[in-house]
């Protein structure tokens, strides 16, 4: 972002290492924060790091939990439920005020539990050579479900009309084996090696200083969902790739987007909204129709979240942040 300051160079020794800024956006997160904070020492092992918590006007004891369990943390209050991107930007702005700046940022959901050395592996991957002459600007770990054993498919391909159709007709998990027909990457081999993806789910990602300086702030017009997609694609446009680092792993307790009709609707509409920003009217019309087909077919099978999303896509309802 515009106020981001890379760690200053040291004559004859290259960039000063500087701390890693661990950025967490919270909203009524008191229940999950203790576990996250307890996992930080092992997850950040081997790194100099500092914690920034940006709180979106929590009504529970979130801030008190942070001050009690992590008294050295910087706590930033946005004063409102400002959305995830706005929280990330507020945390970045606070870290930018540190003497000497910071070398990289680790953007985390509070329901993530890093395994030992996770952050070190992610930060070490930043700056590595990527395909086409690019550099790794964003690195992500293997993510597992709450049981700690079930791998989450966190890598994604950029949206396209054919991929939306494939997901509508076949389903994203079955279509995920074929790059042309799904955004979701399900090939086990992709998760066993350093794999470059168009974007990845944003529960935990490391961002290089160069990437942050080039890309600027996160797009706050996306209240929730698609903000990490937009940022990864914007970074790719500027020569910074997103890469999975399989040596890094974490557990993600998950959210309720798949069971909450309102959140699933927001996720679905923001997919279309982001696609519209990057494509013409004809392509966007086709993409929206394909997404509507997918949600309508699942609504017919009795899925309430898809029923709500289909209604919104058809123009009969739209939650906050929708296109």
């Amino acid at each position: 972002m515009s106020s981001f300051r890379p760690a200053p160079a040291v004559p004859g020794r290259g960039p000063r290492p500087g701390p890693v800024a661990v950025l967490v956006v919270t909203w009524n997160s008191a229940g999950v924060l203790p576990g996250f904070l307890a996992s930080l020492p092992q997850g950040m092992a081997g790194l100099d790091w500092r914690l920034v918590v940006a709180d979106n006007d929590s009504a529970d004891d979130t801030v008190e939990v942070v001050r009690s369990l992590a008294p050295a943390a910087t706590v930033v209050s946005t004063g409102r439920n400002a959305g995830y991107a706005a929280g990330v930007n507020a945390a970045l702005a606070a870290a930018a005020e540190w003497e000497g700046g910071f070398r990289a940022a680790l953007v985390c959901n509070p329901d993530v539990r890093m395994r030992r050395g996770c952050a070190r592996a992610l930060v070490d991957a930043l700056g590595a050579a990527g395909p086409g002459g690019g550099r790794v600007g964003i690195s992500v770990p293997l993510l597992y479900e709450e049981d700690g054993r079930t791998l989450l498919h966190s890598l994604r391909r950029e949206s396209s009309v054919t991929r939306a159709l494939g997901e509508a007709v076949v389903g994203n998990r079955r279509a995920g084996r074929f790059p042309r027909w799904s955004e979701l990457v399900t090939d086990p081999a992709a998760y066993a090696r350093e794999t470059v993806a168009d974007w990845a789910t944003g529960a935990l990602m490391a961002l290089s200083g160069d990437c942050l300086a080039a890309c600027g702030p996160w797009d706050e017009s996306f209240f929730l969902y698609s903000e990490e997609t937009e940022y990864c694609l914007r970074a790719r446009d500027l020569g910074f790739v997103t890469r999975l680092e399989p040596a890094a792993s974490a557990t993600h307790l998950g959210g309720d987007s798949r069971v909450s009709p309102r959140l699933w609707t927001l996720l679905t509409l923001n997919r279309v909204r982001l696609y519209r920003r990057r494509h013409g009217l004809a392509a966007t019309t086709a993409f929206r129709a394909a997404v509507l087909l997918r949600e309508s077919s699942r609504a017919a099978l009795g899925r309430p979240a898809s029923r709500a999303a289909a209604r919104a896509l058809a123009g009969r309802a739209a939650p906050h942040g929708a296109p």
Side-chain angles (χ1 to χ4, degrees), residues 132-225:
R135 293 281 175 181
V136 176
I138 302 171
S139 59
V140 297
L142 294 173
L143 291 175
Y144 293 89
E145 292 186 8
E146 190 170 356
D147 62 14
R149 299 183 302 274
T150 305
L151 180 71
L152 292 168
H153 293 134
S154 57
L155 301 181
R156 299 290 190 274
R157 306 177 184 102
E158 187 174 5
S159 295
S160 72
V161 175
T162 56
R163 286 169 182 158
L165 281 172
E167 292 178 354
V169 175
V170 182
N172 61 348
R173 294 195 177 276
R174 282 180 291 177
R177 294 174 294 172
F178 309 101
R180 182 180 177 84
W181 295 109
S182 179
E183 289 186 35
L184 187 68
V185 178
T186 60
D187 180 6
Y191 295 89
R193 60 175 184 261
E194 296 170 347
T195 298
V196 170
D198 291 327
W199 64 280
T201 55
L204 177 60
M205 51 175 48
L207 308 168
S208 73
D210 288 343
C211 182
L212 285 164
C215 291
W218 287 44
D219 189 338
E220 297 182 15
S221 69
F222 292 98
F223 177 80
L224 188 65
Y225 304 121

Side-chain angles (χ1 to χ4, degrees), residues 18-21 44 46-50 103:
V20 172
M44 301 301 299
L47 292 173
D48 175 22
W49 58 278
R50 295 174 64 181
R103 63 182 289 200

Side-chain angles (χ1 to χ4, degrees), residues 61-126:
D61 295 331
T62 293
V63 173
E64 289 76 9
V65 168
V66 176
R67 297 201 185 282
S68 172
L69 299 180
T74 299
V75 178
V76 182
S77 176
T78 65
R80 60 193 176 93
N81 188 6
Y84 192 74
V88 171
N89 288 338
L92 281 169
E97 298 300 317
W98 296 343
E99 182 68 28
F102 56 94
R103 63 182 289 200
L106 198 70
V107 178
C108 315
N109 283 8
D111 60 353
V112 160
R113 307 291 183 260
M114 284 186 279
R115 298 179 181 178
R116 179 166 295 279
C118 174
R120 178 65 179 270
L122 293 178
V123 172
D124 285 350
L126 297 174

